[in-house]
Amino acid sequence: MVEELLDDTKFIVVPKLFANQIRLLTARLGVSVSDFAVEALTQAMRARELGSDLRDAVDMYHLSDVQRGAGSMMVTRTVFGEVLQRLHGSDGEELHGLWRDQGRWYGAYLKARLGRDQVLGFLEKDLLVSWNLDEAEVAQRDLMVSVRLVSFGMSEVFTGLMVSYVAGVMEELGLAENERDVLPGLVSLKFLGKLR
C-alpha cells in the first residue's frame, strides 16, 4: 500500500526555511502540505493557461481588493468620457477640484492600507488598470517622482481630470508638483518630495 502511494508521488526539493513556512501556514489553515502544494501548483498552471503567471494573478487580485475597498467601480471609457464631457461643460473648475479631492482621499487610503513605502509601486499598476491606460510609469529617484501616462484616444477633458486626480494623490503623499507637460492622452508630471 505504501509502495503504491510512493510510486504515484514525486518529491520536490525546496529550501528548509521555505518548507517550514509552508508547514506553519498549512497547520494554521488546517490542510495538509500535499493538498496545499497541489492546489497552489494547479492554480499556477491555470494562470499560465490564461496567458498570465501566478505573480501577475496575485498582483491583480491585490489591486482589485484594494480598489474594491476604496469603493471603485468599473465603467467603460466611452460612457465615462461622455458623462465627463457633459459635466465638464457645466462647471469644469469644480469638477477638477472634485477629482483632486478624490485623488487626495485615495492617496490617504493607500497610505493607510498599504503603508507609505508601498504606495508608488502600487500606484503605477493601479493607474494603468483603473484609468484603462496604454502605458503608466511612476518612478522615484531620490526626492523626485516622475509620472508618465499614455492613453491613445483619451480626450482633453478626460486627460485633465486624470492629471487633477494624480496631483491630488501626490499632494496627499507630501509631494509638490514641479513640472507638467500635458497633451490629450499624453501626461508627464514631476513631483518633488520633502526631506524626512
Side-chain angles (χ1 to χ4, degrees):
M1 176 73 174
V2 172
E3 289 176 3
E4 288 176 18
L5 181 63
L6 291 177
D7 283 345
D8 197 32
T9 61
K10 294 286 182 187
F11 290 101
I12 299 173
V13 178
V14 296
K16 186 176 183 178
L17 179 61
F18 184 69
N20 289 337
Q21 290 173 329
I22 291 174
R23 274 192 217 102
L24 289 172
L25 176 61
T26 56
R28 266 187 303 193
L29 296 173
V31 298
S32 73
V33 172
S34 295
D35 288 346
F36 181 82
V38 168
E39 178 65 19
L41 293 172
T42 300
Q43 295 308 320
M45 290 188 316
R46 185 171 165 235
R48 284 284 178 202
E49 288 170 4
L50 295 171
S52 185
D53 63 28
L54 196 54
R55 179 183 303 270
D56 287 342
V58 171
D59 287 349
M60 287 306 294
Y61 171 79
H62 182 239
L63 177 70
S64 172
D65 190 48
V66 170
Q67 289 176 338
R68 187 174 56 244
S72 296
M73 56 186 242
M74 188 175 14
V75 178
T76 64
R77 186 190 299 182
T78 305
V79 170
F80 190 59
E82 182 63 30
V83 169
L84 287 178
Q85 194 67 39
R86 291 179 187 188
L87 289 173
H88 196 267
S90 62
D91 195 352
E93 200 171 306
E94 186 176 325
L95 196 56
H96 280 274
L98 178 67
W99 279 97
R100 187 179 199 96
D101 290 346
Q102 180 60 33
R104 290 188 68 220
W105 180 90
Y106 195 59
Y109 171 76
L110 291 179
K111 280 193 307 188
R113 174 83 188 249
L114 305 174
R116 182 173 173 68
D117 295 337
Q118 303 295 315
V119 172
L120 293 178
F122 178 84
L123 190 61
E124 182 175 286
K125 278 190 178 173
D126 184 53
L127 290 169
L128 184 69
V129 172
S130 63
W131 286 84
N132 194 24
L133 301 175
D134 297 302
E135 297 175 30
E137 180 182 272
V138 178
Q140 183 171 13
R141 178 173 285 152
D142 300 322
L143 298 178
M144 177 75 73
V145 175
S146 301
V147 178
R148 191 180 62 79
L149 308 170
V150 178
S151 180
F152 303 106
M154 185 180 273
S155 71
E156 184 176 349
V157 170
F158 199 87
T159 303
L161 293 174
M162 181 175 62
V163 168
S164 294
Y165 175 82
V166 171
V169 171
M170 296 302 177
E171 184 180 322
E172 183 60 34
L173 297 177
L175 300 163
E177 190 175 326
N178 183 53
E179 192 177 307
R180 177 186 288 212
D181 187 10
V182 177
L183 293 170
L186 298 170
V187 174
S188 176
L189 304 167
K190 293 193 187 315
F191 299 88
L192 281 175
K194 302 170 188 165
L195 291 172
R196 290 185 189 181

